[in-house]
Amino acid sequence: MIMWAVSRGPLHQSLFGLSLPLPYQPGAKMVTASKATVPTISDQASAMQLSQCAKNLASALAELRTASQKAQEACGPLEIDNALSMVRDLEKDIKEAKASAEEGKLRPLPGETLEKCSQDLGTSTKAVSSAIAQLLSEATQGNENYTGMAARDVAQALKSLASAARGVAATTDDPAARSAMLDCAGDVMDKSANLIEETKRAIAKPGDAESQQRLAQVAKAVSQALNRCVNCLPGQRDVDNAIRTVGEASKSLLADSFPSSGRSFQEVQAQLNEVAAGLNQSANEVVQASRGTTQDLARATSKFGQDFSNFLEAGVDMAGTSQSKEDQTQVVSNLKTISMSSSKLLLAAKALSTDPSSPNLKNQLAAAARAVTDSINQLITMCTQQAPGQKECDNALRELESVRGMLENPTEAVNDLSYFDCIDSVMENSKILGESMAGISHNAKNSNLPEFGDSVSGGSKALCGLTEAATQAAYLVGVSDPNSSAGQKGLVDPAQFARANQSIQMACQNLVDPACTQSQVLSAATIVAKHTSALCNACRLASSKTPNPVAKRQFVQSAKEVANTTANLVKSIKALDGAFNQENREKCKAATGPLIEAVDNLTAFASNPEFASIPAQISPEGHAAMEPILAAAKMMLESSTGLIQTARSLAVNPKDPPKWSVLAGHSRTVSDSIKKLITNMREKAPGQRECDDAIEVLNSCIREVDQASLAAISQQLTPREDISMETLHEQMAASVHEISNLIDPVAVAARSEASQLGHKVSQMASYFEPLIMAAIGTASKILSSQQQMAVLDQTKTLTESALQMLYTAKEAGGNPKASHMQEALEESVQMMKEAVDDLGATLAEAASAAGAVGGMVDSINDAINKMEDTPALEPEGTFVDYQTTMVKTAKAIAVTVQEMVTKSNTNPDDLGGLANQLTNEFGNLADEAKYAAMTAENDEIGSHIKKQVGELGFTCTGLVTKAGALQCSPNDSFTKKELIESARKVSEKVSHVLASLQAGNRGTQACITAASAVSGIIADLDTTIMFATAGTLNRENTETFADHRECILKTAKALVEDTKLLVSGAGASQEKLAQAAQSSVSTITKLADVVKLGAASLGSEDPETQVVLINAVKDVAKALGNLISTTKAAAGKPHDDPSMLQLKNSAKVMVTNVTSLLKTVKAVEDEATKGTRALEATIEHIKQELAAFSSSDPPPKTTTPEEFIRMTKGITMATAKAVAAGNSCRQEDIIATANLSRRAIADMLHSCKEAAYHPEVSKDVQMRALRYGNECATGYLGLLEHVLVIIQKPSNDLKQQLASYSKRVAGSVTELIQAAEAMKGTEWVDPEDPTVIAENELLGAAAAIEAAAKKLEQLRPRTKPKEADESLNFEEQILEAAKSIAAATSALVKAASAAQRELVAQGKVGAIPANAVDDGQWSQGLISAARMVAAATNNLCEAANSAVQGHASEEKLISSAKQVAASTAQLLVACKVKADQDSQTMKRLQAAGNAVKRASDNLVKAAQKAAFDAQDDQAVVVKSKMVGGIAQIIAAQEEMLRKERELDEARKKLAMIRQQQYKFLPSELREDGQEQ
C-alpha cells in the first residue's frame, strides 16, 4: 500500500505550505474558540488545563509562523523547482497506484468512500484550475517570487487531486473505470509538470510573446486533462451521455424544413401535452436525484434524456403541423430554448454531483429546472388550441409542481431576503392571491374566460412567491437556532462570477454576429460594461478582505486585466458605432477575445474552494422550528393545486354545483394555511425565544449579585477557599473580554441580521453566569469592604446595561425597517461598552498591582492575531498618517521600556502599571499597523511592517512576563538580568519596526525624523535665550560678531536652497524627499550653531540684542518644522489637493523668516537701526502666531484658566514698555520692548487657546475667549506698528495717539480676564497673587514631606544572617536620622506657612499687594526655598532607602542630608526678610530649623563614621616582587590623579548648576520653555 499522507519532496516544502495564512488560520481559530470556552467550564482543573493548552498552542503557532517566514525568505527562489519536483513525484505515485490496481492490490485508505473521494476530486479540480489561473497571471507579469508561490499552490492542489483520484480508483469496482481514472490523473500530473517547466522558461524571458503563447497552450492542455479526469467519475458518464442525447436530438432543429407527420392537430397537441408533463416530471426528478447517490443521478439523467427525445419529436411534429412559416419558426425557436435550458439543467446536476457541498449549486439547479418548466409552458401556450383558461391552468399546475421541491428540507438560502423581507413578501403575495382567487371564482361563474386565465396566472405567480418566501423564512429560522451553525459568506460569490461570465460571453457573441444591428451593438456594450464593472468591484472587495497576499495580488491583477480589455472593447465599439462597416466589426471581434479570456481566467480563479462560502448546518432543533412554517406552506400548495384543478373544470362547465362546493373548500383551506403561515412566521421570528431566555439568565445574575452585596455589607460573605485569587481574576477578565467582543455582533444582528440574533445573544448570556461567580468569589477574598462593593457594583452595572441592551435588541429583532429602535439600540450599546471598559480597567489595574500578567500577554497575542484579520472599516487616512502615528507609538514603547528598566532597580512595584501601559501601547501600534499595511505602496512593504510589529509583540510578551515575575520577587537578581535583556530585545525590535516604516515611505519617514530634530533645535534655542536673558551668554576669546556674520549669511542662503528642494520633493520621489529633509535639518543645525556663536560674540553686556538674534533663528527653525510637516502631508498628492496650498503658504512663511534673519544679522551692529529691525521681526512673528491661533486645529494640550490669567499679566507690562519706548524712541528701549512683546503675546495666545479648549469649558465661553484673544493680539499689533511709525518719523501728535492704542489693549485684556473668570466659575482667585502662590506652595511642600516621612516609616533594615552588630547599628542610625529629618522638615514647612499667614495679617505682605513687585519677589524666594526643602527631603528618603537596601553609597546619603540643611537655611532666610523677630511664629520657625539642622548633622556623622570604618577595613595587599610593586605604585598614582580630576570636574559642575539656578527665570516659566 502506498502512504499518500506524506509528501516525498524536500522537507522545507512543508514549511512553505505553512507560510500561507490558510494553514495558520485553523490553529488561530482553535485558540480563539478555546479561550472563549474557558469561562463557561465549571470544572476548575479542566478550565485551567484548556487555558494553558490554548496559550501553548498560540505560542507554538507564533513560532511556527516566524519559522515558516524565515524558511520562505531563505528558500523562496527555489519554489518553482520544488513545485516541479513535487508534481513529478505525484506522477510517479499515480503510476505505482496503477501498477497496484492491475495486480489487484489497490485498497482504499481508512475512511475513504466513493462519494467522499468523488466530492474531494471535484473540489480539488476547482482548486487546481484556480491555482493555474493564478500561476499564468504571475508568470505573465514576470514576478519570480509570486510565481514561485503560485507554483507551490498548484503543487499543493495537485497533491489533493492525486489523493482523491487514487481514492476513487480504490473504491470503484469496475476495472475499466479504475484504469481510466488513474490514466486521466497521471495525464493531469504530466501536463501540469509541463506547465510548471514552461512557466520557469517564461520567467526567464519576461514579455516574450512566443513563450507566453506556449504557456497558454500548455495551460489549455491541463484544463482539458482536468475535465477528462472529472468525467471519469461514476455518474458523470451518465450525465454526459444525457447531455449528448440532448445535443444529438437538438440537431433535428437545424433542418431547413419540417414535413408534416400526417396526424391531426388534436393528436399532435395531445401528444405534446403528454410528453411535456413527462419532461417536466423528469426535470424535477433530476433535481431530487442530484442530492442522492450517483446511481440515482444516473437513472434520473438517463430518463430525462429519453423524455427529452420524446418531447423534441413531438415538438418537431407540431412544427410540421403549423399552418404558416412564421408559426413554424416560432415553434422551432421555443424548442431551441427548451433544448438550451435542458442542457443547463444537466450541467448544473453534473456540477452538483461533483461538489454537493458547494454553495449556490442547489439553487442554480432548482432555477434551471424552473427555467425548463417556463420554456415548456411558453411552447404549450403558443402552439396548443384549447378552451380559454385551460392552458393557464396547466401552466400554473406545472409551475406549482416545480416549486414544490423547495419545501423539502431547505438547507440553503433560496434568495437574499432577510426574515422581515420574507414576511413582507408573504403579506404582499397573499393579498395578490386573495384577489386572484376572488377573480377565479367570479370569472368562472360568469364565463369571463380571458379574465379567468389572467387570474389563474396571477395566482400562480403569487403562490410561487409565497413558497419562495416561506422557504427562505424557514431556512433563516433553522439556522438561527443556537444549536445550528450559521453559514459563513465566502470571499466571493462564484455564482455571480459564473453569471457575469455567461452574460459577457453572450453579449460578445451578439457583437460579432453579422446580423447584429447598431442598436443591438450598443445594448450588448451596455451589458458588457455592467457586468465587468460588477466583477471589478467584487475583486476590489475580495482583495481588501483576504489575508492571503498572493490571492490579494491576483484579484487586483485580474480586475486590471478585465478593466483594460473592457476599455479596449468599448473603444472599438465606439469606432463601430461611428462607422458601421466590416473593418470596424472585425476590430470589435478581435477585441472580444482578450476580454473573454480575462473573464474566463478570473472565473476559474474565483472558483477556488478557499474563497467559497461555508453552508449552514441546521440542528434537529432547528429542523423542528422550521416544520410549522413548511407544513403551512405545503398545505397551501396542495390546496392551491386542488383549487386550480377544480377551477379548470368549472371554466369548461360552470353549472356543476358539487364542484363549486369543492372550490369553496379549497379556497378556505388556502386562506387558512396562509393565515397559519403568517402566524407561524411571526411567532417563530429568529432570536425572540433566545432573547427571552437570555433576559431570564441576566435577571437571575442580578439577583445573585444583590444577595452577595447584602452579605458583603453585613460581613457575611464567605471567602472561597477552593480557588486562588489569580484564577478568579483571570476568569473575570476572560468573561469580560468575550462579552466585549460580542457587543458589536449583537448590535449588528439586532439591527439587520435576525438569523444571527439568537446565536449572538445566547453566546453573550453564557458568559454572565461565570462572570458573576468569579466576581462574587473575588469579592469574598477581598478584605476591604469598600473594594468588595466596588467589584460587585461594577459587575452589576455591566449586567444591568447588558439586560437593557437585550430588551432593546429583542424589540429591534433584526428588522432594518424598525428605525424607531435604532437610536435606543445605539444608546444601550454605548452604555454597555462604557461598563465593560470600567470593569476591564479595574481588573487590569488589580492584575498589574498583583503582578499577574497573563491577561496582558493574552492581549498582546490577540493584537498580533488581529493584525492578520481584515479590518471591518476602510482606511480613513493615507500611509503617511498611519506611519506618523506608528512612529510616535513605537517611540512611546521605547520610553516605557526604558522606564521599566529604571523601575526594576528603584521601585519594582511600579512594573505592573508600566507593563499594562506597554500592553496598551502595543495594542494601538498593532491596530495602526493593520491599516498601514493596507495603504502601503505594495504588499511586500505591508507584510514586512506587519511581520516586524508581530516580532515586536512576541518580545513584548517576554518583557511583560519578566516584569510580572520581578514584581513578585523584587530581590531576584537573575530575573532582573532577564528583564534587562528582554528590554534590550524590545528596543531592538522597535528599531526594526521604525526601519520597516522607513522602507515603506523613506521620504515621509525622513520628514518625521527631521521634524523631531527641529523640535530639539527649538528647545535648545529656548535654553540659549534663557541664558542670554540672565546675562550669562558670554563670548569666547576676543571674537567679534563680524567673525561670524558671513558664515551666518552663507548658511541662511543654503537653507533657502534646501527649502526649494523640500517643496519640490513633495511631488518627486521618496528618495529625493528624504535627501531634501536630511539636508534641511543639517543646514538648520549648522545655522543655529553659528547664530548662537554670533550672539555670544556680542557679549553678555548686551543681552537684549543677543535675544533678538536668537529669536530670529528660532523663527526660522519653527517655520522649517512647519514646512517639513506640510511637506510630509502633501507628499504624493495631486497639485489641486488642499495640502499643496498649505505647503505653498508654509514655504512663503519660511522665506519671510529667513529674509527677516538676514536683515537682523545685517542690522545687529548698527546702533541706529537694530531696534527698528527687532521691532519689525517681532511684528512679523506676532502675525504668524496670530495665524496659527486663528486656525481651527486644536492645541496639543490644555491648560487651566489660572495659567491663562497669569499670562495676560505680561501683556500689561509689555504695553507699558511699548508706550515708554514709543515716547523715548531709544533703540535700547525698543529692543527690550520687541523681546518682551514677542514673549508676552506668544504666551498669551498659546495659553488662551489651550484654556479655551479645556474639556470643561463651554462652547460659548470658548468662542468668547478666542475672540478676545484675537482682538487683544490684533490691538497690541496695532500698538507696535504705531511705535514703528513713531521711530521712523517721530512727532508729538503720533506719540499722543499711543494712549488710545494702549487703552484698546487694556480693554481687550479686561475682556480676556472676564472670559477666564467665566471658565473658572465662581471659585475664582487671582493666580498671580503672591500670597496665594506662597500659601499653596508651602502647603504642597509640607504634604510632600509628610508623604516622604510615611514612606520612611514603612522602611525596615535588611535582615542579614548573623552579621556584625556594627553594620546593623549603622542601618538603624540611618533610618532613625532620616525619619527625624523628615519629621523636622515637615514641622519647619508648616511653621513657614504659619509665618507667611502672620505677615499677611500684620499687613507687611498685602493680600492684594500694592508693591506687587517687591512682595512677589519675596514670595518667589519663599516658594523656591519651600520647594527645595521638599525636594531635598525626597532625595534624602530615596538615598536612605537605597543605603538600607545596599544599593547606594554613604557619600550620596551625606550629600542628601547636607542639601536638606542648606535648603532649610534658605527657607529661614526667606522667612526672616520681613518677619518680626520677636513673634512666637518666628521663634517656632527658628526652632524647627534648628531641629532640622541637628537631625541632618546626626545623619551626616553616622554616615561618615560608617564610611570611615569601612575605609579602615579595607586591606591593601602589597606585592613583594620588584616589578609587581612598581606597577602597583604606578596604578595607585594613576587612580589618585584620576580621582583628583573627577573632583575638579564635579566642583565645576556644581558651580554651574548653582549659577544657573540663581540666574534663570522662575521655574514655572522654565518648564514651559522646555515643553516648547
Side-chain angles (χ1 to χ4, degrees), residues 115-262:
E115 277 70 24
K116 180 183 177 298
C117 293
S118 298
Q119 288 176 25
D120 290 348
L121 186 71
T123 306
S124 55
T125 302
K126 286 183 182 177
V128 171
S129 298
S130 175
I132 286 173
Q134 194 171 311
L135 180 66
L136 291 175
S137 175
E138 298 299 348
T140 305
Q141 292 172 65
N143 186 312
E144 185 175 2
N145 188 26
Y146 280 101
T147 306
M149 291 183 186
R152 178 192 64 208
D153 290 347
V154 170
Q156 292 290 346
L158 285 169
K159 185 178 176 184
S160 301
L161 177 76
S163 178
R166 181 212 173 276
V168 170
T171 52
T172 303
D173 297 329
D174 183 5
R178 187 186 302 139
S179 178
M181 173 55 73
L182 291 172
D183 284 341
C184 289
D187 189 37
V188 168
M189 300 303 151
D190 180 46
K191 298 287 193 296
S192 300
N194 294 342
L195 174 65
I196 294 172
E197 285 177 347
E198 197 59 53
T199 303
K200 193 176 173 184
R201 283 194 283 271
I203 283 290
K205 296 180 182 177
D208 182 38
E210 189 180 341
S211 63
Q212 295 296 332
Q213 191 176 0
R214 278 201 308 273
L215 198 60
Q217 288 171 351
V218 178
K220 195 173 181 182
V222 176
S223 181
Q224 290 169 349
L226 283 171
N227 286 336
R228 286 196 295 273
C229 193
V230 171
N231 290 337
C232 290
L233 286 172
Q236 295 292 302
R237 290 189 297 275
D238 299 289
V239 180
D240 285 337
N241 290 337
I243 293 170
R244 272 196 296 274
T245 302
V246 170
E248 290 295 327
S250 301
K251 285 181 182 175
S252 59
L253 299 175
L254 301 174
D256 295 329
S257 61
F258 299 92
S260 173
S261 61

Side-chain angles (χ1 to χ4, degrees), residues 1278-1299:
L1279 173 64
L1280 290 184
E1281 286 172 341
H1282 190 68
V1283 170
L1284 187 62
V1285 172
I1286 292 172
I1287 296 164
Q1288 291 165 347
K1289 293 180 181 177
S1291 74
N1292 287 329
D1293 291 342
L1294 289 173
K1295 288 181 180 179
Q1296 284 171 4
Q1297 292 174 21
L1298 283 170

